[in-house]
C-alpha cells in the first residue's frame, strides 16, 4: 500500500470547542453542544436545535484582531481562526518558504452578511463593504491574507461534501508535486438561508439528531471550520516534522440519482468508498473505525448504511459512529471537522460514540458504537455526501 | 367541489411550473405522481406548502402527503374536510 | 505524462456563440453596462419537464456542454468539473428574498435545492447519468481555471482520459443593483462604456456558460493543447512580468515565443494597469487580444477568453473586433492568456497549436 500524504497540523472551531484540545475533551466526555439558536434571529428558534459556536461576530473579530472597518463574514472569521491554528500547530513560521497553497471549502460563503443586510445595503453606505464578502472566493482570500499566504488559492463547493474534496485535491497536489505544502479544509457559518432551506425539505429534527436510529427525525444544523496542513515527505524529512496521521485514500463519485436525495442502494457512496480503497491499497477489513456521514435524515442513513454493507458485508461492518449528535451537520465544514475527529481517533485509539441512539433500523442489522471505545486504530474511513449527488470518502491512516 | 378542483389544477400548474400542461389535461382521478402527471418528492414538498399557505392545513410529516396527493379527487376532498381558510 | 487537448467547445454568452463559427456575428455594444445574453432556444436542448426547475445558469450550462460534447463526439466522461464564481444566484436570490419578505414562512424547497453552487455540474451528471468524479470550484476569477487545473492534473497523471470542464455565471437584478452600488459595474450616468483605454472605474458585466471537452488524445476536432495553467491569489502590478517569464520558462519558452496574448482587460481603470504592465513592455511587439468588450465581465469570463484563444489558434487568425493592437504574426503557435479581477486571482494559461 502507499503511505499517503502527511498531515502535520490541524485546527478546529465548532460548537464543541474552540481548539483541538477542547474538541477532544468534549468528544471523550460525550458532551454534545446542540442548543437553541442564539446568534441568529429566526422564527424557527423554538422548533429546532443547532450546533452553534457561542461567540458573537464581535468576539470573533476581536480574537482575530480585525480592525473595525473589516468586512469579514462569520464564515471567513471562523475559517481564519481554524486555519491559523492549523498553521501554528504545524510549526510553520514562514508560510511562503515552500510552494504553499490553500484549498478552502464553503457552501454558504458570506451568506450570513448578505441575509443580514439584504435591503439595508441600499440605505446604509457603511454596509456596502460587505457586498464583496458574499462569494466563496472572498472567504479563501481572507483566510490567505490572515495566514500571509501568496500562491495557489482555490475553493471547492460541492454542498455537504465540500471539505472532503478540498482535502482530496490537496493530497493529490502534494502527490503530484504541484505543491510542497497545502492548507485544506472548510468553513460554514450558520445562516437563516440554510436553516430555512433544510426546513423546507422537512429534514430538520425538532429535537436532538439521532443517526442510524430507526426513529430518526432529521438533522440539526451546525457551524464550524477546520483546516489541516498537508506536507510533502521531503519537508517532513528535512524539518523532522511530527506527522499526526496520513491521508491514505480518497474517492469521489456522483450518485446521479436526484438533486437532493440519495439513491436507494447508495450507489454514489459505494463508488466513492470503492475508489478510496483503490487509491489507498487497503482492504475493507483494514478499517478500524468508520466516521459515517450519518446526518440522521431518514434518507441519508438508509442509503449510506446500504452502501457500507455493500462494501463491508453486513456481518463485517467495523465500529462506526456519526459525530453529528455532538456538532450538528456543519455542511461544507463537516468533512474537515470529521477529519480532525478521525485523526484524534487514530492518535488516541478511541472510537467516539454515536450519541442519542436507541433503536436499530428495521432495514438492516447495523448498530453504531454508542459508548466510547478504546482500541488500536490504524485506519479510519470517513464519508461525506452532498446535494447534487456528490459523494466523497477519505481514509486516514496512522503514520 | 368542482370549483375547488379547478382551482387546484390551476395552482398546481402554476406552482410547479408545468408550462406545457393545461387544466384540461388533468383528470380528477389521474395519479399526480409516478406514471400519471409524473410529479416527484420535491413537488410533494411544494404541495405541502400550498396546503399550508392557501388552505391553512399544516402537515408535519412528508409521508402524510402520499395519500392526500394521490389525485385531484383525494386532494380536494382532504382540503374540503380540513381547511381552516 | 499525458497531454491535454481541447476537442470540443460550447459557449453561451452575450454574443451569438452557440450556432456560429467564430464571432462573425459579434456586435460591440458600448451603450450598456450590463450586456444581455444571446439566448439559445432551450427547448432544442432540454425537455420542458426537465427545464421547469432550472435557472438560467443551469440551462446555459446544459446547452454549452451539449454543444461541446457534440463537437468532440463524446458522450461519457471520467470527470465533470465546473467553476462558478457566484454560483446559482438566481435561485439563491429568490430563496433569500422569500425568506426575508415572508418572514421565514411559506417557503418552498425548489429554489433552495437549486441554489447550491454545484447545481450545474450535478444537473449535467444527472442528465447523462454520469457517476464519475464531479467537482465544483467557486473561487471568484479563478473558479474556471481551478477546474481546468484539476482536469489537467488528472490527464497528466493518466487518471482520466475524457473530462468535461466549464465556467458558468449568471446575473440577477439584485446582484446587478448591489454591484452598481459597490462600484463594480460602471456608473449608469456615464452613458457610454468603452473597455479599451477606459477612464473610469468599474466594468461592464454580463453572464455566460462556456464548456470544453478535454481529452488525452488528439482528434479531428482538436483545437489546441493546454500546455500549462497556473494561478496566484495576489500579485503586485510590478510582479506580473516576472511571473509570466518564469511561467514561460518552466515550459521552455521565452516572451518572444508567444505569438499572441489574450488579456482580460475589462475597462476598470483601477486594475487594468496589471495588463498595461505587460502590454506596454514585454509584449509590446506581440499581437494582443481582448474580449471582455464582447463577453462582459463575470467571474468565469476567462472561460470565454479560452474559447477565443482556442478559436484563434484553430483559425490562425485574429478577428479585427478582438485586436487590442495592430501587430500581426504569420503563424500563431503559442498563445498566453492572462486574467485577474480587481487585483486578485491571477491566472496564466498557455495553449499551443498542435
Amino acid at each position: 500500500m502507499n503511505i499517503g500524504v502527511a498531515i502535520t497540523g490541524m485546527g478546529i472551531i465548532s460548537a464543541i470547542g474552540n481548539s483541538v484540545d477542547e474538541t477532544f475533551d468534549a468528544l471523550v466526555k460525550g458532551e454534545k453542544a446542540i442548543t437553541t439558536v442564539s446568534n441568529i434571529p429566526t422564527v424557527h428558534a423554538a422548533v429546532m436545535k443547532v450546533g452553534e459556536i457561542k461567540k458573537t461576530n464581535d468576539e470573533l473579530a476581536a480574537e482575530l484582531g480585525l480592525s473595525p472597518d473589516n468586512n469579514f463574514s462569520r464564515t471567513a472569521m471562523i475559517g481564519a481562526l481554524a486555519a491559523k491554528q492549523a498553521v501554528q500547530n504545524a510549526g510553520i513560521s514562514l508560510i511562503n518558504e515552500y510552494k504553499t497553497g490553500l484549498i478552502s471549502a464553503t457552501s454558504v460563503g458570506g451568506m450570513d452578511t448578505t441575509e443580514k443586510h439584504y435591503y439595508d445595503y441600499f440605505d446604509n453606505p457603511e454596509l456596502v463593504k460587505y457586498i464583496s464578502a458574499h462569494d466563496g472566493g472572498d472567504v479563501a482570500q481572507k483566510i490567505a491574507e490572515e495566514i500571509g499566504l501568496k500562491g495557489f488559492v482555490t475553493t471547492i463547493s460541492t454542498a455537504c461534501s465540500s471539505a472532503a474534496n478540498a482535502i482530496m485535491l490537496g493530497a493529490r497536489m502534494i502527490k503530484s508535486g504541484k505543491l510542497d505544502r497545502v492548507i485544506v479544509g472548510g468553513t460554514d457559518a450558520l445562516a437563516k438561508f440554510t436553516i430555512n432551506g433544510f426546513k423546507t425539505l422537512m429534514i430538520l429534527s425538532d429535537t436532538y439528531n439521532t443517526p442510524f436510529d430507526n426513529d430518526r427525525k432529521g438533522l440539526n444544523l451546525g457551524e464550524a471550520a477546520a483546516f489541516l496542513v498537508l506536507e510533502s515527505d521531503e519537508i517532513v524529512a528535512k524539518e523532522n516534522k511530527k506527522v499526526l496521521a496520513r491521508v491514505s485514500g480518497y474517492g469521489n463519485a456522483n450518485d446521479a440519482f436526484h438533486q437532493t436525495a440519495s439513491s436507494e442502494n447508495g450507489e454514489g457512496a459505494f463508488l466513492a468508498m470503492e475508489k478510496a480503497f483503490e487509491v489507498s491499497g487497503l482492504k475493507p477489513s483494514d478499517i478500524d473505525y468508520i466516521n459515517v456521514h450519518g446526518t440522521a435524515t431518514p434518507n441519508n442513513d438508509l442509503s449510506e448504511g446500504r452502501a457500507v454493507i455493500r462494501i463491508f458485508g453486513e456481518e463485517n461492518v467495523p465500529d462506526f459512529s456519526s459525530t453529528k449528535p455532538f456538532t450538528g451537520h456543519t455542511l461544507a465544514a463537516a468533512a474537515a471537522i470529521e477529519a480532525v475527529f478521525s485523526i484524534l481517533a487514530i492518535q488516541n485509539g478511541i472510537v467516539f460514540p454515536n450519541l442519542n441512539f436507541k433503536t436499530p433500523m428495521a432495514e438492516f442489522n447495523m448498530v453504531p458504537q454508542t459508548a466510547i471505545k478504546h482500541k488500536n486504530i490504524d485506519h479510519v474511513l470517513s464519508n461525506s455526501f452532498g446535494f447534487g449527488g456528490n459523494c466523497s470518502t477519505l481514509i486516514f491512516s496512522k503514520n | 367541489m368542482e370549483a375547488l378542483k379547478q382551482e387546484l389544477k390551476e395552482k398546481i400548474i402554476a406552482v410547479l411550473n408545468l408550462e406545457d400542461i393545461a387544466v384540461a389535461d388533468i383528470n380528477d382521478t389521474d395519479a399526480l405522481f409516478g406514471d400519471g402527471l409524473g410529479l416527484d418528492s420535491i413537488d410533494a414538498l411544494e404541495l405541502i406548502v400550498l396546503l399550508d399557505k392557501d388552505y391553512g392545513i399544516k402537515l408535519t410529516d412528508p409521508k402524510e402527503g402520499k395519500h392526500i396527493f394521490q389525485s385531484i379527487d383525494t386532494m380536494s376532498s382532504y382540503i374540503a374536510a380540513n381547511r381552516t381558510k | 505524462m499525458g497531454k491535454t487537448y481541447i476537442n470540443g467547445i460550447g459557449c453561451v454568452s452575450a454574443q451569438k456563440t452557440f450556432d456560429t463559427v467564430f464571432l462573425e456575428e459579434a456586435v460591440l455594444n458600448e451603450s450598456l453596462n450590463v450586456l444581455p445574453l444571446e439566448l439559445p432556444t432551450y427547448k432544442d436542448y432540454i425537455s420542458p419537464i426537465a427545464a421547469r426547475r432550472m435557472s438560467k445558469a443551469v440551462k446555459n450550462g446544459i446547452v454549452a456542454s451539449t454543444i461541446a460534447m457534440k463537437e468532440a463526439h463524446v458522450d461519457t466522461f471520467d470527470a465533470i468539473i465546473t467553476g462558478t464564481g457566484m454560483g446559482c444566484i438566481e435561485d439563491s436570490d429568490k430563496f433569500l428574498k422569500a425568506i426575508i419578505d415572508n418572514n421565514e414562512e411559506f417557503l418552498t424547497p425548489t429554489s433552495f435545492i437549486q441554489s447550491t453552487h454545484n447545481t450545474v455540474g450535478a444537473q449535467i451528471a444527472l442528465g447523462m447519468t454520469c457517476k464519475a468524479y464531479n467537482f465544483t470550484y467557486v473561487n471568484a476569477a479563478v473558479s474556471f481555471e481551478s477546474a481546468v487545473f484539476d482536469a489537467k492534473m488528472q490527464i497528466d497523471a493518466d487518471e482520466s482520459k475524457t473530462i468535461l470542464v466549464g465556467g458558468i455565471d449568471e446575473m440577477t437584478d439584485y446582484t446587478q443593483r448591489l454591484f452598481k452600488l459597490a462600484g463594480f459595474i460602471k456608473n449608469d450616468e456615464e452613458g457610454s462604456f468603452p473597455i479599451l483605454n477606459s477612464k473610469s472605474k468599474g466594468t461592464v458585466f454580463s453572464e455566460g456558460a462556456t464548456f470544453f471537452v478535454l481529452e488525452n488524445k488528439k482528434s479531428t476536432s482538436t483545437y489546441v493543447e493546454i500546455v500549462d495553467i497556473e494561478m496566484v491569489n495576489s500579485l503586485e502590478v510590478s510582479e506580473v512580468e516576472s511571473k509570466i517569464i518564469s511561467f514561460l520558462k518552466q515550459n521552455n519558452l521565452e516572451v518572444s515565443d508567444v505569438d499572441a496574448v489574450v488579456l482580460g482587460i475589462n475597462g476598470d481603470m483601477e486594475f487594468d494597469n496589471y495588463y498595461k504592465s505587460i502590454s506596454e513592455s514585454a509584449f509590446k511587439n506581440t499581437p494582443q487580444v481582448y474580449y471582455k468588450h464582447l463577453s462582459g465581465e463575470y467571474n468565469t469570463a476567462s472561460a470565454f477568453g479560452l474559447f477565443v484563444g482556442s478559436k484563434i489558434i484553430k483559425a490562425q487568425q485574429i478577428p479585427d473586433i478582438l485586436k487590442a493592437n495592430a501587430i500581426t504574426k504569420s503563424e500563431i503557435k503559442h498563445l498566453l492568456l492572462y486574467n485577474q479581477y480587481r487585483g486578485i486571482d491571477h491566472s496564466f494559461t498557455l495553449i499551443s497549436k498542435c
Side-chain angles (χ1 to χ4, degrees):
Chain A
M1 76 170 241
N2 78 71
I3 67 158
V5 174
I7 303 163
T8 59
M10 55 183 176
I12 186 168
I13 176 167
S14 77
I16 60 169
N18 304 314
S19 65
V20 172
D21 289 345
E22 284 181 29
T23 300
F24 181 64
D25 206 45
L27 289 170
V28 170
K29 289 183 180 150
E31 285 171 354
K32 59 178 173 248
I34 304 296
T35 63
T36 303
V37 65
S38 58
N39 283 323
I40 295 178
T42 166
V43 302
H44 308 306
V47 294
M48 58 150 204
K49 294 185 182 326
V50 293
E52 188 175 40
I53 297 168
K54 297 294 180 196
K55 286 177 190 267
T56 64
N57 284 359
D58 287 343
E59 288 166 340
L60 292 168
E63 239 172 274
L64 282 164
L66 301 178
S67 69
D69 64 345
N70 82 81
N71 68 341
F72 275 62
S73 60
R74 186 171 174 88
T75 300
M77 287 195 279
I78 58 175
L81 283 170
K84 278 183 147 178
Q85 284 178 25
V87 168
Q88 194 185 14
N89 183 227
I92 296 168
S93 46
L94 297 169
I95 191 100
N96 297 312
E97 182 183 6
Y98 298 99
K99 219 180 344 166
T100 304
L102 169 70
I103 304 168
S104 179
T106 184
S107 69
V108 295
M111 184 61 85
D112 60 290
T113 56
T114 308
E115 66 185 26
K116 211 183 295 170
H117 310 310
Y118 192 79
Y119 286 121
D120 302 339
Y121 280 130
F122 302 98
D123 306 321
N124 185 351
E126 279 177 30
L127 296 174
V128 169
K129 65 181 182 182
Y130 286 113
I131 291 174
S132 64
H134 175 81
D135 69 295
D138 179 76
V139 173
Q141 179 64 21
K142 288 206 163 74
I143 295 172
E145 283 169 13
E146 282 297 306
I147 59 175
L149 188 142
K150 242 180 131 171
F152 181 94
V153 174
T154 195
T155 305
I156 294 169
S157 192
T158 51
C160 308
S161 63
S162 305
N165 294 335
I167 295 169
M168 189 178 312
L169 178 71
R172 285 168 50 215
M173 288 184 75
I174 297 287
K175 270 193 189 175
S176 69
K178 295 272 180 197
L179 292 173
D180 303 317
R181 179 159 74 190
V182 61
I183 292 114
V184 294
T187 176
D188 254 338
L190 272 172
K192 252 188 200 180
F193 187 87
T194 38
I195 290 171
N196 281 284
F198 284 94
K199 187 113 183 50
T200 64
L201 289 169
M202 301 182 88
I203 52 175
L204 279 189
S205 168
D206 57 359
T207 174
Y208 299 108
N209 76 82
T210 61
F212 281 84
D213 190 289
N214 202 46
D215 304 315
R216 64 199 182 281
K217 293 169 80 175
L219 54 84
N220 301 124
L221 280 174
E223 60 183 351
F227 282 87
L228 308 179
V229 178
L230 309 183
E231 294 192 270
S232 71
D233 284 328
E234 288 72 28
I235 299 186
V236 169
K238 195 172 141 197
E239 304 206 342
N240 197 19
K241 283 244 163 137
K242 184 183 169 198
V243 176
L244 310 180
R246 285 179 178 268
V247 183
S248 55
Y250 42 77
N252 172 281
N254 196 288
D255 205 30
F257 170 73
H258 186 274
Q259 180 61 24
T260 54
S262 302
S263 60
E264 197 87 335
N265 66 348
E267 182 69 9
F270 172 81
L271 292 171
M273 287 188 272
E274 199 177 54
K275 281 188 198 174
F277 278 114
E278 199 182 300
V279 168
S280 67
L282 294 168
K283 306 181 296 297
S285 59
D286 293 323
I287 299 298
D288 303 299
Y289 166 47
I290 308 175
N291 186 296
V292 290
H293 187 52
T295 56
T297 66
N299 177 242
N300 177 81
D301 295 3
L302 180 58
S303 177
E304 183 176 12
R306 286 191 169 138
V308 165
I309 287 172
R310 283 173 70 191
I311 292 279
F312 292 90
E314 195 160 0
E315 303 309 312
N316 301 312
V317 176
D319 292 334
F320 77 94
S321 65
S322 164
T323 42
K324 290 187 169 73
F326 284 94
T327 59
H329 185 6
T330 61
L331 308 181
I337 66 169
E338 287 159 29
V340 172
F341 302 164
S342 300
I343 296 163
L344 288 171
I346 291 170
Q347 287 181 316
N348 299 284
I350 290 177
V351 175
F352 302 116
N354 188 114
L355 305 177
N356 310 336
F357 177 88
K358 282 200 191 84
T359 315
M361 287 168 63
E363 293 87 350
F364 44 58
N365 178 27
M366 261 183 85
V367 177
Q369 185 62 33
T370 54
I372 191 163
K373 180 173 173 179
H374 295 266
K375 69 169 192 182
N376 180 55
I377 297 178
D378 288 324
H379 305 286
V380 179
L381 181 143
S382 175
N383 279 334
S384 295
F385 314 131
F387 279 10
N390 207 294
C391 299
S392 297
T393 298
L394 297 171
I395 300 177
F396 299 96
S397 298
K398 195 176 265 184
N399 186 33
Chain B
M1 198 56 137
E2 283 314 306
L4 175 60
K5 286 179 183 173
Q6 172 77 14
E7 177 185 300
L8 271 178
K9 289 176 190 174
E10 285 166 9
K11 283 185 176 173
I12 288 173
I13 289 170
V15 165
L16 305 180
N17 284 327
L18 301 170
E19 279 172 22
D20 281 17
I21 290 171
V23 167
D25 297 337
I26 311 174
N27 296 313
D28 296 351
T29 53
D30 281 353
L32 296 177
F33 290 78
D35 290 339
L37 206 51
L39 303 186
D40 64 16
S41 59
I42 300 173
D43 295 313
L45 294 171
E46 294 277 344
L47 296 180
I48 288 174
V49 178
L50 182 109
L51 287 193
D52 185 8
K53 197 172 170 182
D54 294 358
Y55 304 103
I57 302 172
K58 277 193 197 301
L59 302 187
T60 48
D61 183 351
K63 275 183 234 142
E64 291 173 69
K66 250 190 190 155
H67 310 289
I68 303 165
F69 303 138
Q70 271 173 11
S71 65
I72 292 292
D73 271 344
T74 57
M75 212 175 151
S76 56
S77 38
Y78 184 84
I79 291 172
N82 294 284
R83 66 190 297 170
T84 61
K85 67 177 174 190
Chain C
M1 194 170 114
K3 285 187 173 185
T4 304
Y5 300 97
I6 296 177
N7 288 350
I9 304 179
C11 181
V12 176
S13 70
Q15 301 296 331
K16 282 196 84 174
T17 39
F18 45 86
D19 57 0
T20 52
V21 181
F22 182 27
L23 296 173
E24 65 274 17
E25 292 177 36
V27 177
L28 176 60
N29 184 344
E30 293 187 338
S31 64
L32 293 174
N33 54 0
V34 178
L35 302 176
L37 273 185
E38 276 289 336
L39 292 178
T41 309
Y42 291 126
K43 273 188 197 159
D44 294 349
Y45 299 88
I46 313 162
S47 76
I49 194 83
R52 69 195 171 102
R53 293 186 187 129
M54 291 178 181
S55 69
K56 219 167 15 175
V58 177
K59 286 192 258 193
N60 292 337
I62 289 176
V63 171
S65 59
T66 305
I67 294 171
M69 285 161 65
K70 218 167 152 184
E71 187 178 34
H73 302 290
V74 160
D75 57 11
T76 174
F77 295 106
D78 302 319
I80 295 175
I81 313 176
T82 59
T84 173
M86 297 292 288
C88 294
I89 49 173
E90 188 179 307
D91 279 308
S92 152
D93 281 1
K94 204 193 283 176
F95 193 65
L96 186 53
K97 189 172 184 320
I99 290 176
I100 293 167
D101 291 352
N102 301 322
N103 194 29
E104 303 183 76
E105 283 192 280
F106 306 127
L107 299 168
T108 61
T110 301
S111 51
F112 176 68
I113 287 170
Q114 300 288 113
S115 76
T116 54
H117 290 76
N118 61 336
T119 306
V120 180
Q123 287 289 321
I124 292 172
L126 192 57
M128 54 193 290
T129 326
C130 178
K131 294 180 178 169
Y133 181 101
N134 196 308
F135 263 37
T136 297
Y137 291 92
V138 299
N139 206 92
V142 293
S143 304
F144 171 69
E145 284 69 20
S146 299
V148 175
F149 180 93
D150 182 352
K152 187 166 158 43
M153 196 161 73
Q154 296 191 30
I155 291 177
D156 282 352
D158 290 325
E159 290 166 358
S160 294
K161 293 184 172 70
T162 308
I163 299 182
L164 179 71
V165 298
I168 320 98
D169 270 296
E170 60 185 352
M171 181 49 85
T172 66
D173 289 341
Y174 178 70
T175 303
Q176 214 179 106
R177 285 172 62 210
L178 285 185
F179 280 12
K180 284 183 179 174
L181 195 61
F184 301 157
I185 294 177
K186 285 186 182 295
N187 192 332
D188 291 345
E189 312 293 305
E190 289 172 34
S192 167
F193 311 98
I195 296 302
L196 217 51
N197 303 314
S198 157
K199 298 283 181 289
S200 65
K201 290 183 185 181
T203 180
V204 171
F205 256 82
S206 189
E207 54 191 331
T210 315
F211 274 75
F212 301 82
V213 172
L214 307 185
E215 290 190 278
N216 66 341
K217 284 195 175 65
K218 262 199 270 188
S219 74
T220 50
S221 61
T222 296
Y223 283 86
V224 295
E225 182 196 345
I226 299 179
V227 180
D228 201 359
I229 181 162
E230 195 171 318
M231 296 105 79
V232 186
N233 69 321
S234 86
L235 282 176
E236 300 297 324
V237 173
S238 59
E239 294 173 317
V240 176
E241 187 172 321
S242 59
K243 180 73 220 170
I244 287 178
I245 290 171
S246 68
F247 175 69
L248 291 172
K249 198 177 166 194
Q250 75 196 29
N251 292 289
N252 302 314
L253 294 175
E254 290 175 20
V255 165
S256 59
D257 294 319
V258 175
D259 304 306
V261 277
V262 176
L263 304 172
I265 298 166
N266 71 1
D268 187 333
M269 61 171 279
E270 222 179 330
F271 299 100
D272 272 352
N273 48 356
Y274 276 96
Y275 304 110
K276 276 211 176 96
S277 76
I278 55 166
S279 65
E280 289 176 357
S281 58
F283 293 101
K284 68 173 185 290
N285 296 317
T286 309
Q288 297 170 7
V289 172
Y290 74 128
Y291 58 88
K292 286 183 185 166
H293 56 312
L294 300 181
S295 69
E297 177 67 278
Y298 47 100
N299 282 147
T300 48
S302 51
F304 186 92
L306 184 59
F307 154 85
V308 161
S310 304
K311 292 270 184 182
I312 286 175
I313 290 189
K314 191 161 189 177
Q316 282 296 306
Q317 66 149 19
I318 302 171
D320 288 340
I321 199 164
L322 294 170
K323 287 179 179 169
N325 66 3
I327 314 272
T328 56
K329 276 221 172 179
S330 55
E331 190 192 12
I332 302 163
K333 200 158 182 287
H334 303 295
L335 186 147
L336 175 76
L337 297 108
Y338 168 45
N339 187 59
Q340 52 83 28
Y341 181 61
R342 297 183 62 81
I344 59 169
D345 295 322
H346 304 258
S347 66
F348 307 91
T349 309
L350 181 65
I351 56 176
S352 294
K353 187 181 161 188
C354 48

